[in-house]
């Protein structure tokens, strides 16, 4: 193992590509900030118990994918594999739900950790931006979140994503369906582990990606046919609201999600350019989660969008983000005095909000101009002894190649008007 190798299943975000990740996070966050969601940040690790209860003992995330460890003090902790349980825990701890202001709407952005088999789009460290609306049962809230995710992807220029939608029922109708599904699954030719799963959490068998399993599931009973009237009406209202917003979606009666806590509305954002790891984001309603982690009844809904896969989706579609040039002006001093003068000018430009950089070290003209080129700057400001003796600096337009002398005292104003 090389000292310079990131751990298996992880990778570094490095300029210039890293700018894309920032832009994606920003694009997902913008519609949330604009819709009453407040920013929340929680620790990178929590007590194991939170995820065991909140994500579910029978999920792959908890049984196989979680990084758990014991601290020197003897606490059992886990690196967070997802955001929802932590955000709800934090909201309960801060009593946000008692301020008489439900729903509590929060958004977050951060790193998540799952011990998975690394492959394209599937990493052991990845990043998500997520949103949770806690403490209200209102189809408009489910619709709002779906519409905001759609808006986020569209603002990035993504077109090839699809929204798939289903309802998982509630504590009234789901148990009836669960039993019907269990009876059906018991009649199939399944391996022992899958049969055990059918006993503990039969809905998750529907999510089995193996073709031989999927083939046997063709005639599985569908939750759609078991929804109670309240769930049916709720789901219909969500569908109508997102349709009225012009958001296109597909009903998928077999869509279930990997987490135990989902009820009613459930959805996934998929992108067909990503191969096997096609889900770029997902979410849904989790009316029972608060009680599962020991809180009061707080019906809630949320989603998490994967930043890594969103960047891959942009690449698959060939979308070039319009990233602002990181440097607009690059200063090239050719003498000691010029270093002092241009360094002062660069500082002034930066104070005015103009992105400026400087040729550091003692490079010759050729090396410094190479740096100026590489920086992507629109203008270079070059000065040597002779220029300063005449009270000027050379302003070079890096696009046209034109170079003109500008007075030392005028250069900042000149650049400000050119770039403004
Ligand atoms: P999958 O079915 O692909 O394993 P998931 O259902 O486990 O996805 P969620 O828990 O819903 O994923 O997480 C939401 C989003 O986070 C996913 O749609 C994906 O974009 C991203 N994500 C989840 N796990 C990973 C991972 N290991 N590497 C990169 N991104 C991930
Ligand atoms: Mg997964």
């Amino acid at each position: 193992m090389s000292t310079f190798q990131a751990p298996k299943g992880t990778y570094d975000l490095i300029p210039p590509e890293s700018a894309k990740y920032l832009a994606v996070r920003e694009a997902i966050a913008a519609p949330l900030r604009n819709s009453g969601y407040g920013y929340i940040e929680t620790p990178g690790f929590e007590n194991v118990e939170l995820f065991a209860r909140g994500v579910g003992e029978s999920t792959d995330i908890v049984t196989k994918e979680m990084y758990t460890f014991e601290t020197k003090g003897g606490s059992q902790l886990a690196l967070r594999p997802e955001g929802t349980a932590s955000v709800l825990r934090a909201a309960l701890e801060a009593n946000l739900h008692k301020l008489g202001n439900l729903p509590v709407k929060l958004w977050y952005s951060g790193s998540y950790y799952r011990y998975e088999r690394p492959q394209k789009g599937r990493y052991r460290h990845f990043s998500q931006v997520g949103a949770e609306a806690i403490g209200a049962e209102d189809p408009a809230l489910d619709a709002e979140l779906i519409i905001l995710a759609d808006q986020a992807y569209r603002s990035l220029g993504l077109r090839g994503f699809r929204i798939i939608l289903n309802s998982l029922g509630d504590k009234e109708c789901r148990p009836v369906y669960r039993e019907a599904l269990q009876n059906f699954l018991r009649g199939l030719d399944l391996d022992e582990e899958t049969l055990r799963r059918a006993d503990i959490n039969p809905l998750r068998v529907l999510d089995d990606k193996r073709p031989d399993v999927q083939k046997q599931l063709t005639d599985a009973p569908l939750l759609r046919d078991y929804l109670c009237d309240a769930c049916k009406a709720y789901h219909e209202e969500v569908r109508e609201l997102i349709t009225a917003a012009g958001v296109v979606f597909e009903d998928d009666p077999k869509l279930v999600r990997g987490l135990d806590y989902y009820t009613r509305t459930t959805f996934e954002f998929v992108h067909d350019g990503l191969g096997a790891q096609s889900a770029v984001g997902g979410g849904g309603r989790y009316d029972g989660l608060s009680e599962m982690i020991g809180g009061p009844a707080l019906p809630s809904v949320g989603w998490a969008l994967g930043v890594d896969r969103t960047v891959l989706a942009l690449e698959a579609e060939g979308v070039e983000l319009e990233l602002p040039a990181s440097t607009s002006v690059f200063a090239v001093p050719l003498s000691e005095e010029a270093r002092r003068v241009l360094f002062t000018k660069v500082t002034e430009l930066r104070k005015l909000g103009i992105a400026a950089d400087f040729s550091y070290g003692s490079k010759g003209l050729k090396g410094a101009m190479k740096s100026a080129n590489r920086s992507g700057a629109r203008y270079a400001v070059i000065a040597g002894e002779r220029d300063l003796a005449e009270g000027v600096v050379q302003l070079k337009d890096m696009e046209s190649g034109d170079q003109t002398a500008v007075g030392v005292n005028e250069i900042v104003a000149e650049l400000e008007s050119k770039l403004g």
Side-chain angles (χ1 to χ4, degrees), residues 114 116 121-123 126 128 209 257 259 279-281 304 306 309:
R114 297 185 194 176
E116 303 215 57
R122 189 175 295 286
Y123 311 105
F126 57 97
Q128 292 183 336
K209 303 276 179 336
R257 309 240 324 119
L259 286 67
V280 288
R309 288 187 198 169

